[in-house]
Amino acid sequence: MADKDISQAVIARLPRYFRYLGDLKEKGVERISSQELSDIMKVTASQIRQDFNNFGGFGQQGYGYNVNYLFDEISKILGIDRQHSLVIIGAGHLGKAIAGYTNFTRRGFVFKGAFDRDPALFGTMIRDVEVRPIDEVEDFVRNNNIEIAVLTIPKDQAVPMAHKLADCGIKAIWNFAHVDLDVPNNIQVENVHLSDSLMKLSYNISRYEKTIKQ
Amino acid sequence: MADKDISQAVIARLPRYFRYLGDLKEKGVERISSQELSDIMKVTASQIRQDFNNFGGFGQQGYGYNVNYLFDEISKILGIDRQHSLVIIGAGHLGKAIAGYTNFTRRGFVFKGAFDRDPALFGTMIRDVEVRPIDEVEDFVRNNNIEIAVLTIPKDQAVPMAHKLADCGIKAIWNFAHVDLDVPNNIQVENVHLSDSLMKLSYNISRYEKTIKQ
DNA sequence: TAGATTGTTAATCGATTAACAATC
DNA sequence: TAGATTGTTAATCGATTAACAATC
């Protein structure tokens, strides 16, 4: 079932399916139909079936989907059936927040290193990891087979850092800096542009206020 | 130029335009054509013109767009030409990271209050604001005309909190809890599901590794 | 005026939804 | 077998791109 070329729209929905299936699993639900899932998730049953069928058939006619099986298949698709090592670059509050997020550990994301520019932080601990000087990042990534770098540093530092990371074999960058990174496309980039998100919120407030005025 | 019904796809692109126009402005660029902007932003010139024309014509034939003017118009559209007061609910690292993000202040988001469940934090300061007990949220929102609540609390607390906030007249929720909130649709919700984002990243790592294997 | 570039309509592409035959 | 529900094709809808007339 090699995914030919799944659209990012579909990919973006997978974690949400995963989340709901995890909840169902916890509740002890064994099977679910696309229609039931449709009611809970508020997307069409048709879309659910189409989405899953991008990756092959996970259901059974007349029965529906087995929750446990579907959950496992989606974790495989998402690549969270195995571990990913990561480092956090920028040991401020945001970096600490992410490092401390235990759910990530549960999903196989292993926090291996933390780096900062501020000497006052060197040697301090974030969970079981000590903060190191930022110019040790490259060696650390190379020597410890790090897959993911979490960039929680200001945007002017993020751009050169992304290039350095590209050179030392990082596989992916989870970018929290408010800037678009330009790296070779063998490196996966996922942006979390918090300011963009807040502006969307602000837009929707304004839009709603306009509609009620009329 | 009342926006009839702009698609969320367009809205989601506006903050990015805003970001690039801000950069151009800082560099002292006065005018730009859709083609030049297209080259920089790597979207089609056609899309740029279509997007802007959803809100009325901001350009001039034969000239292009005036950077300052366009920047100002987009800030109006995004509703960041005025102030928005916000409170942060959950004074952990994530809450502190957001509170400390000075760029938000620059865009008119005014940090007015912080709340937590942990008594050890009561009275401690985040910037110039002291952390209060979480059950004071409702009165505070009502008495201080708070528009936005930032939810940086665990998901099981986020759901009941969202309902409380709905009852005391909040306009919008910026939700960092890994759960979908179900609130009346006079309340705008913008989700930042970090775990979803990380899973997308993980998917793209796996997908890339599959493609190179073949 | 001639050249440039927008604003806007038309064409294309892709994603979502509907429908139904296949099948458990 | 009959009923249920998937997998999948076809129809629709919406978003993106292309093209060009309007106009600065």
Side-chain angles (χ1 to χ4, degrees), chain A residues 54-86:
Chain A
N54 280 303
F55 306 96
F58 299 144
Q60 199 167 71
Q61 283 100 328
Y63 172 87
Y65 298 88
N66 177 289
V67 172
N68 275 294
Y69 176 68
L70 188 53
F71 181 85
D72 288 345
E73 288 302 313
I74 294 179
S75 31
K76 280 184 215 162
I77 295 166
L78 288 171
I80 49 179
D81 57 332
R82 63 180 189 85
Q83 298 209 321
H84 297 274
S85 57
L86 62 83

Side-chain angles (χ1 to χ4, degrees), chain B residues 145-163:
Chain B
N145 238 311
I146 302 298
E147 287 186 46
I148 303 172
V150 184
L151 281 194
T152 49
I153 49 179
K155 64 176 178 177
D156 49 310
Q157 296 170 46
V159 176
M161 178 52 73
H163 288 118

